[in-house]
Amino acid sequence: MTTSLGLSIITLVTLFISLTPTLTKSEGGIDVFLPISLNLTVRTDPFSISAASHDFGNITDENPGAVLCPSSPTEVSRLIRFANGGFSYNGVLTSPAPTFKVAARGQGHSLRGQASAPGGVVVNMTCLAMAAKPAAVVISADGTYADVAAGTMWVDVLKAALERGVSPVTWTDYLYLSVGGTLSNAGIGGQTFRHGPQISNVHELDVITGKGEMMTCSLKLNPELFYGVLGGLGQFGIITRARIALGHAPTRVKWSRILYSDFSAFKRDQERLISMTKDLGVDFLEGQLMMSNGIVDTSFFPLSDQTRVASLVNDHRIIYVLEVAKYYDSTTLPIIDQVMDMLSRSLGFAPGLMFVQDVPYFDFLNRVRTEEEKLRSLGLWEVPHPWLNIFVPGSRIQDFHDGVINGLLLNQTSTAGVTLFYPTNRNKWNNGMSTMSPDEDVFYVIGILQSAGGSQNWQELENLNDKIIQFCENSGIKIKEYLMHYTRKEDWIKHFGPKWGDFVRRKIMFDPKRLLSPGQDIFN
């Protein structure tokens, strides 16, 4: 996550290309020629170039030739049409432009330069969100959807929706991400088992294709583009507006962390809970692993129980944390006691190891912000993050646990970060969209979110990731990576499998010159 780019919008002087043909260039980058007729708001100062060259992963560093800070989607369209050599001025077609790549960047939370455009132009989508204010988030009259500028952060969508008593129904764990960024991947979290990923909760999009065309799309209007862009890794177009589904907003949350020492019981209870109906089931479900060779964070638990929890982790080497939440307000308060009683009586955890907090809805959804602030204060936020996110078929989760968790992670000298471990339901995903998942009714989201702080070498952690992937390959566990960064075409073909043909066909339809999102390394 890089916030300095957003701040620079306020503090840096805007450069308007309005008088003479201009050459923008970054050190070591490819020349980008932007003619007078484009009238684009671009930045080429060292600060802007540097801010757009690295991301949350803090592993790659790719300088663009320029950063576009658009005041409207039309500016983005003009830029891309010029890159295609098809921009006209006063009815006269310009000569073919020197080809350069274009990448949309929201909050820069990618891990391996996926939002970069080496030597090309990075489009700062935060500018579009700022230009759209106060209408960056517009709630429909009936409160069933919100039209959102794609560069808007999800936390701002939440704030605007709550003012009307409504809320999006599914979230990522971290809210300081852009709407367009998560929709270009999938957008997953603890509500995915119930409502699907964020891409399954979009009614309509405005998109600028790789040909510079401004198109509106939905399930019925230009569906080929709609299906392709959602989860499409920025390959077919740049999202400028999204119509997001909304539901009634609760006011409070019963937030529980339940501890297990037995993996089989942990797995059984997780899968049972995601199969229950909404009325008497939970609204949020995730899981974490607390391992004795890592940092054991006991801050969630009452002060009187923190030593006991830490001792449990030390004694068992690993404790499995089932994290669930039930949302409520004054109208649903009567069923809260029933749900909490069901959890305490029917789940297979050891007695006395269920801990509950009662918190405001906003505070629950924004919980990771508190963790971010802690890490920033310790200088452990802007460090390399060689994270590994994978989807594991439910039928092989025991094999994965035995080989990866017990066989690899627990045998490391130390671990530095969080390991997420929870199931979701595949029937909540739209298989027509670009995102890939295992072909089973239940699959697990595994996030090995290690950070290379202090003397830790990120390459060592990357090597561990390679060992995990190799173990799955050797064991025949057909995982799918999420937020992946492949550099070989054959790996992309394998990843998309039966969807590869459609993926290539859509690329030819909507970005035939392969200008968009070069940092993904799919069509370079």
Side-chain angles (χ1 to χ4, degrees):
M1 156 69 73
T2 301
T3 57
S4 57
L5 186 56
L7 295 175
S8 71
I9 296 167
I10 300 172
T11 58
L12 294 179
V13 177
T14 301
L15 172 63
F16 286 93
I17 308 301
S18 58
L19 298 175
T20 59
T22 299
L23 164 68
T24 65
K25 182 179 180 181
S26 68
E27 184 178 348
I30 299 172
D31 295 343
V32 179
F33 294 89
L34 301 176
I36 57 173
S37 54
L38 289 180
N39 193 31
L40 298 179
T41 311
V42 298
R43 292 187 175 134
T44 59
D45 60 280
F47 185 86
S48 296
I49 295 297
S50 175
S53 70
H54 61 273
D55 54 24
F56 175 73
N58 269 301
I59 292 172
T60 62
D61 196 355
E62 300 282 4
N63 282 357
V67 177
L68 174 67
C69 186
S71 59
S72 70
T74 303
E75 286 193 34
V76 183
S77 174
R78 288 203 302 263
L79 174 75
I80 296 176
R81 283 190 290 136
F82 175 70
N84 275 277
F87 181 75
S88 60
Y89 181 56
N90 290 337
V92 178
L93 189 68
T94 63
S95 58
T99 300
F100 55 87
K101 306 288 187 178
V102 178
R105 176 189 170 102
Q107 293 298 310
H109 209 267
S110 55
L111 300 174
R112 294 298 294 265
Q114 288 93 331
S116 65
V121 178
V122 167
V123 180
N124 182 354
M125 300 301 291
T126 304
C127 296
L128 276 182
M130 293 183 67
K133 286 184 176 180
V137 181
V138 178
I139 311 298
S140 65
D142 61 1
T144 59
Y145 66 83
D147 283 319
V148 182
T152 307
M153 291 189 297
W154 281 102
V155 68
D156 293 323
V157 178
L158 176 60
K159 290 175 180 177
L162 289 179
E163 290 180 358
R164 290 281 304 277
V166 291
S167 168
V169 296
T170 190
W171 299 93
T172 53
D173 291 327
Y174 184 64
L175 302 185
Y176 293 77
L177 308 173
S178 69
V179 169
T182 66
L183 296 183
S184 295
N185 289 279
I188 58 174
Q191 302 87 357
T192 303
F193 80 95
R194 178 76 66 201
H195 299 285
Q198 290 177 321
I199 58 173
S200 293
N201 294 274
V202 178
H203 296 311
E204 186 179 272
L205 298 170
D206 284 344
V207 175
I208 300 172
T209 71
K211 295 187 285 189
E213 299 169 328
M214 301 175 68
M215 300 177 66
T216 298
C217 58
S218 65
L219 289 172
K220 295 182 178 180
L221 178 66
N222 299 312
E224 193 81 44
L225 181 61
F226 185 73
Y227 280 116
V229 166
L230 290 171
L233 307 177
Q235 293 302 304
F236 314 116
I238 294 176
I239 302 169
T240 58
R241 176 189 65 92
R243 179 165 288 180
I244 307 297
L246 301 177
H248 172 72
T251 56
R252 297 197 66 82
V253 177
K254 290 286 187 180
W255 177 18
S256 301
R257 288 187 179 176
I258 306 168
L259 308 187
Y260 294 72
S261 59
D262 178 68
F263 175 70
S264 295
F266 172 68
K267 170 183 176 295
R268 182 178 61 250
D269 285 351
Q270 281 194 320
E271 294 187 12
R272 174 171 168 257
L273 288 172
I274 69 167
S275 71
M276 296 178 66
T277 61
K278 178 175 174 57
D279 289 344
L280 290 179
V282 296
D283 297 304
F284 170 98
L285 183 145
E286 287 190 4
Q288 295 184 24
L289 308 183
M290 299 173 68
M291 293 180 280
S292 58
N293 59 344
I295 298 174
V296 179
D297 182 5
T298 61
S299 58
F300 177 89
F301 309 104
L303 187 61
S304 59
D305 289 299
Q306 291 179 5
T307 300
R308 180 165 66 111
V309 171
S311 296
L312 282 170
V313 176
N314 186 62
D315 293 343
H316 291 278
R317 295 190 69 207
I318 183 169
I319 289 292
Y320 308 92
V321 183
L322 171 60
E323 184 169 29
V324 294
K326 184 67 179 178
Y327 308 151
Y328 72 97
D329 55 25
S330 58
T331 63
T332 55
L333 183 60
I335 70 168
I336 288 298
D337 288 341
Q338 297 177 47
V339 173
M340 302 310 294
D341 183 59
M342 177 274 295
L343 293 176
S344 64
R345 286 188 300 102
S346 65
L347 299 183
F349 62 96
L353 295 181
M354 178 176 175
F355 303 89
V356 183
Q357 292 186 14
D358 191 305
V359 297
Y361 178 65
F362 178 87
D363 291 355
F364 172 72
L365 292 180
N366 199 39
R367 63 197 179 282
V368 178
R369 184 67 162 185
T370 302
E371 300 304 316
E372 175 193 351
E373 291 168 350
K374 289 180 185 176
L375 292 172
R376 284 190 183 278
S377 69
L378 297 171
L380 297 175
W381 183 255
E382 295 192 10
V383 298
H385 298 98
W387 287 2
L388 178 64
N389 297 274
I390 55 179
F391 300 151
V392 179
S395 65
R396 300 298 305 276
I397 197 62
Q398 183 73 55
D399 298 327
F400 180 88
H401 170 268
D402 294 346
V404 172
I405 306 303
N406 282 341
L408 292 174
L409 291 185
L410 274 177
N411 288 323
Q412 297 296 303
T413 303
S414 64
T415 60
V418 175
T419 299
L420 301 178
F421 199 114
Y422 60 94
T424 193
N425 295 311
R426 189 173 185 268
N427 64 5
K428 301 298 183 180
W429 297 62
N430 187 322
N431 195 49
M433 296 174 183
S434 294
T435 300
M436 296 300 300
S437 63
D439 189 17
E440 291 194 5
D441 293 341
V442 171
F443 63 89
Y444 277 73
V445 176
I446 310 295
I448 301 173
L449 313 182
Q450 299 202 76
S451 301
S455 60
Q456 188 93 48
N457 186 332
W458 72 263
Q459 191 63 57
E460 294 176 5
L461 301 179
E462 189 77 352
N463 291 340
L464 174 62
N465 293 341
D466 292 340
K467 290 179 182 177
I468 293 170
I469 293 170
Q470 190 62 54
F471 170 83
C472 294
E473 180 77 22
N474 294 343
S475 303
I477 303 175
K478 296 180 180 180
I479 64 171
K480 290 296 181 184
E481 288 192 52
Y482 180 63
L483 307 180
M484 59 283 172
H485 186 263
Y486 300 124
T487 57
R488 302 187 309 164
K489 181 178 180 180
E490 52 263 41
D491 290 330
W492 285 111
I493 294 174
K494 179 180 177 182
H495 172 77
F496 284 110
K499 291 186 184 180
W500 176 248
D502 285 341
F503 202 83
V504 172
R505 179 174 55 80
R506 288 168 175 164
K507 187 70 170 178
I508 294 170
M509 288 178 64
F510 300 116
D511 184 22
K513 293 193 177 180
R514 302 179 177 183
L515 303 181
L516 296 180
S517 198
Q520 295 284 358
D521 275 342
I522 302 176
F523 294 104
N524 290 356

